[in-house]
């Protein structure tokens, strides 16, 4: 049985090898507590402000590359390798700053508890593991729009890197059903913004937000998350070698008449010496993600979401495989300025018919006219293709329309598992095909590799469209 990855707060992590400390905002005490299970501290702010964590920082400010970290708060009770457990209750705005650990310190929900934070900021810090927290500006009774979770660099105090976050529940408000265009555009907070390098976010839920998950640092990993209800972009990947895999992004809201932002399920752009579009974004992996414009096409607030939209290249060395895009727009998967990359085994379908749409898989010139080159487009199912460039390899793709979609898929547009005897079964190329499909099914299952994101398995019955557990 596949895991219900998109909303399980796994509060019991792997066994900690260091000491365990406890913070309880209801029964703890900052004056007499020692952080033990029987005598917890009351506030995490006290733990940081009182110097109760032995960590490291730069010897002086402003930070300059090449500086050597020095120990601060030597002999403090909490040290590298330890875990700080948070218990039920309101923990306010949590800020982790000036804390570069020699080995990870874990900040986690105590098993059986769901601590509530108003916001979480990790800035000028290293080697932190954070898991199992509910974070929302709606906690604490003083709501205002913000970026709810940030891993940030600072020009004076230094960068952040090596931060691992998982099993977070991040939201503006728990119920946004009464929101109209003004609230979605001007009141919604943004979910998670990551500037630091080697930062990961996994198995988390981000909902009712302006922007979902944005990554500007290098070597970031965004895996098995749900972004549900957003009014701008679901995912953004601006750093080199980012990995975005097995995420589900759905329900984009508020169209252009109220909001100038052109909304994307995933968006990237380069930045160089001449500004936007004058650099490269290198080595990004988009694998096994599901992008759904609207789970309810009749929602009057739904927008016309662009699927995977990368318009200001160059995008070099990208792998785009096993993604599913269901959207009411021309841009299903679009790259303006792509080099040395591949787009393989994706499925792109129109949500509602009519215009805008149907959605295509596109490789196009850079906006400044420079040509795309050396891109493999293979084993894809799409309502349209628009491919132009030098040295493109285009094979084993199938284009379909509304009439022929029913011969390919179980119940388009929401159940895109292949129908028995579909033309896509065993019709793909094995060359560069991913070893697993969007749901983790090994390829091939039959005599050959299938075309599209789903490998046909005749023993499975899919009664509800996309598996509720999501990919993996």
């Amino acid at each position: 049985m596949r895991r219900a990855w998109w909303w399980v707060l796994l509060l019991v992590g792997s066994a900690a090898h260091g000491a365990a400390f406890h913070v309880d905002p209801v029964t703890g005490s900052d004056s007499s507590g020692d952080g033990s299970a029987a005598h917890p501290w009351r506030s995490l702010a006290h733990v940081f402000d009182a110097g109760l964590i032995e960590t490291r920082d730069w010897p002086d400010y402003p930070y300059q590359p090449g500086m050597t970290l020095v120990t601060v708060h030597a002999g403090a009770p909490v040290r590298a390798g330890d875990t700080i457990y948070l218990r039920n209750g309101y923990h306010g705005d949590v800020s982790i700053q000036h804390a570069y650990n020699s080995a990870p310190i874990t900040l986690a929900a105590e098993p059986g508890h769901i601590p509530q934070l108003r916001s979480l900021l990790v800035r000028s810090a290293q080697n932190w593991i954070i898991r199992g927290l509910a974070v929302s500006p709606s906690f604490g009774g003083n709501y205002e729009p913000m970026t709810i979770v940030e891993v940030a660099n600072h020009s004076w105090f230094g960068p952040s890197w090596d931060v691992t976050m998982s099993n977070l529940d991040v939201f503006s408000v728990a119920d946004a059903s009464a929101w109209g265009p003004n609230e979605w555009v001007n009141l919604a907070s943004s979910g998670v913004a990551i500037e630091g390098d080697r930062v990961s976010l996994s198995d988390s839920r981000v909902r009712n937000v302006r922007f979902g998950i944005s990554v500007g640092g290098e070597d970031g990993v965004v895996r098995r998350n749900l972004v549900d209800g957003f009014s701008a972009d679901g995912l953004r990947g601006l750093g080199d070698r980012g990995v975005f895999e097995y995420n589900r992004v759905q329900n984009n809201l508020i169209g252009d008449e109220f909001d100038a932002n052109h909304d994307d399920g995933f968006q990237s752009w380069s930045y160089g010496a001449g500004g936007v579009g004058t650099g490269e974004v290198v080595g990004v992996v988009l694998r096994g993600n599901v992008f759904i414009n609207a789970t309810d096409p009749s929602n009057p607030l739904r927008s016309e979401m662009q699927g995977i939209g990368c318009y200001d290249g160059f995008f070099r060395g990208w792998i785009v495989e096993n993604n599913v895009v269901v959207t009411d727009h021309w841009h299903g998967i679009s790259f303006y300025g792509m080099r040395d990359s591949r787009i393989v085994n994706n499925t792109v379908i129109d949500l509602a018919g009519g215009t805008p749409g149907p959605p295509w898989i596109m490789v196009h010139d850079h906006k400044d006219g420079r040509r795309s080159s050396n891109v493999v487009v293979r084993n894809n199912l799409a309502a349209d293709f628009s491919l132009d460039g030098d040295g493109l390899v285009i094979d084993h793709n199938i284009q379909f329309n509304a009439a022929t979609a029913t011969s390919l898929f179980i119940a388009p547009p929401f159940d895109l598992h292949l129908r028995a005897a579909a033309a896509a079964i065993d019709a793909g190329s094995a060359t560069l095909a991913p070893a697993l499909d969007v749901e983790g099914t090994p390829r091939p299952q039959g005599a050959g590799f299938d075309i599209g994101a789903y490998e046909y398995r005749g023993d499975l019955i899919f009664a509800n469209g996309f598996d509720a557990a999501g990919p993996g």
Side-chain angles (χ1 to χ4, degrees):
M1 179 179 295
R2 282 185 291 269
R3 295 173 297 160
W5 55 268
W6 57 269
W7 176 228
V8 180
L9 284 177
L10 299 178
L11 300 180
V12 182
S14 58
H17 296 290
F21 298 89
H22 305 263
V23 177
D24 188 328
V26 178
T27 66
S29 171
D30 289 337
S31 59
S32 60
D34 58 10
S36 65
H39 302 285
W41 293 306
R42 185 177 183 84
S43 73
L44 195 58
H46 168 74
V47 175
F48 284 99
D49 295 344
L52 299 179
I53 300 175
E54 179 180 291
T55 185
R56 301 179 302 174
D57 199 6
W58 306 113
D60 198 3
Y61 305 126
Y63 162 78
Q64 297 290 337
M67 279 183 167
T68 300
L69 291 162
V70 297
T71 299
V72 295
H73 312 309
V78 182
R79 302 179 184 182
D82 292 347
T83 298
I84 302 172
Y85 287 112
L86 304 185
R87 293 179 178 171
N88 283 337
Y90 178 57
H91 293 262
D93 296 293
V94 171
S95 178
I96 300 173
Q97 302 190 71
H98 311 294
Y100 296 88
N101 303 314
S102 58
I105 292 177
T106 299
L107 180 67
E110 188 160 317
H113 292 246
I114 304 177
Q116 296 180 345
L117 282 62
R118 183 173 178 268
S119 66
L120 173 64
L121 171 64
V122 181
R123 185 168 64 192
S124 305
Q126 173 208 15
N127 271 334
W128 285 91
I129 298 172
I130 301 165
R131 66 173 188 261
L133 311 179
V135 193
S136 171
S138 65
F139 297 140
N142 56 339
Y143 181 89
E144 60 181 359
M146 63 174 63
T147 299
I148 304 169
V149 175
E150 293 185 79
V151 181
N153 301 325
H154 195 279
S155 60
W156 186 269
F157 296 121
S160 293
W161 69 93
D162 292 338
V163 178
T164 300
M165 301 180 290
S166 64
N167 306 111
L168 304 182
D169 187 19
V170 179
F171 56 94
S172 296
V173 295
D175 182 3
S177 60
W179 277 8
N182 180 65
E183 287 80 10
W184 277 107
V185 173
N186 298 311
L187 191 62
S189 292
S190 291
V192 181
I194 295 169
E195 292 180 348
D197 294 342
R198 300 195 302 272
V199 177
S200 68
L201 175 70
S202 63
D203 301 297
S204 296
R205 181 167 67 166
V206 178
R207 53 197 171 103
N208 300 335
V209 291
R210 179 76 171 137
F211 292 89
I213 303 168
S214 301
V215 180
E218 297 183 350
D219 301 295
V221 176
V222 177
R223 179 179 289 135
R224 296 186 305 270
N225 302 289
L226 173 69
V227 178
D228 189 3
F230 62 101
S231 63
D233 297 333
L235 302 177
R236 280 184 169 180
L238 309 180
D240 292 345
R241 299 176 303 280
V243 176
F244 297 80
E245 59 182 9
Y246 306 116
N247 302 287
R248 185 179 177 108
V249 177
Q250 63 187 28
N251 293 319
N252 176 233
L253 300 158
I254 313 306
D256 292 345
E257 64 272 29
F258 296 104
D259 183 10
N261 186 81
H262 63 83
D263 299 351
D264 298 87
F266 175 92
Q267 185 177 187
S268 182
W269 64 85
S270 74
Y271 194 89
V276 172
T278 63
E280 288 187 319
V281 185
V282 179
V284 171
V285 176
L286 292 176
R287 176 185 295 122
N289 303 289
V290 176
F291 299 94
I292 306 176
N293 191 158
T295 55
D296 177 9
S298 66
N299 185 340
L301 295 182
R302 81 167 176 89
S303 182
E304 295 160 344
M305 180 190 78
Q306 300 171 156
I308 297 172
C310 301
Y311 308 112
D312 291 282
F314 269 89
F315 307 100
R316 179 169 60 86
W318 283 48
I319 298 173
V320 182
E321 63 184 20
N322 276 340
N323 299 286
V324 175
V325 179
V326 182
T327 192
D328 194 21
H329 202 280
W330 293 289
H331 292 297
I333 299 176
S334 294
F335 285 87
Y336 283 59
M338 192 179 209
R339 293 172 173 159
D340 307 324
S341 299
R342 64 181 187 256
I343 302 172
V344 180
N345 279 100
N346 302 280
T347 298
V348 178
I349 194 170
D350 201 351
L351 173 69
T355 57
W360 53 45
I361 294 178
M362 170 183 276
V363 177
H364 196 274
D365 295 346
H366 190 288
K367 287 181 177 178
D368 63 12
R370 287 179 292 167
R371 302 278 284 170
S372 290
S373 61
N374 302 322
V375 179
V376 176
V377 182
R378 175 175 294 148
N379 290 357
N380 299 288
L381 291 171
D384 197 6
F385 290 86
S386 179
L387 305 171
D388 185 30
D390 298 328
L392 270 59
V393 178
I394 304 166
D395 61 69
H396 296 82
N397 303 292
I398 294 178
Q399 182 174 332
F400 59 87
N401 56 33
T404 58
T406 56
S407 69
L408 288 169
F409 307 116
I410 294 293
F414 291 123
D415 188 342
L416 301 180
H417 296 92
L418 295 175
R419 186 180 290 277
I425 296 174
D426 298 338
S429 170
T431 305
L432 296 181
L436 305 174
D437 80 350
V438 65
E439 293 180 322
T441 300
R443 298 179 187 270
Q445 287 290 303
F449 286 74
D450 296 348
I451 298 175
Y454 293 91
E455 187 77 3
Y456 176 72
R457 291 181 61 183
D459 60 319
L460 295 183
I461 298 175
F462 301 98
N464 298 310
F466 295 118
D467 184 350

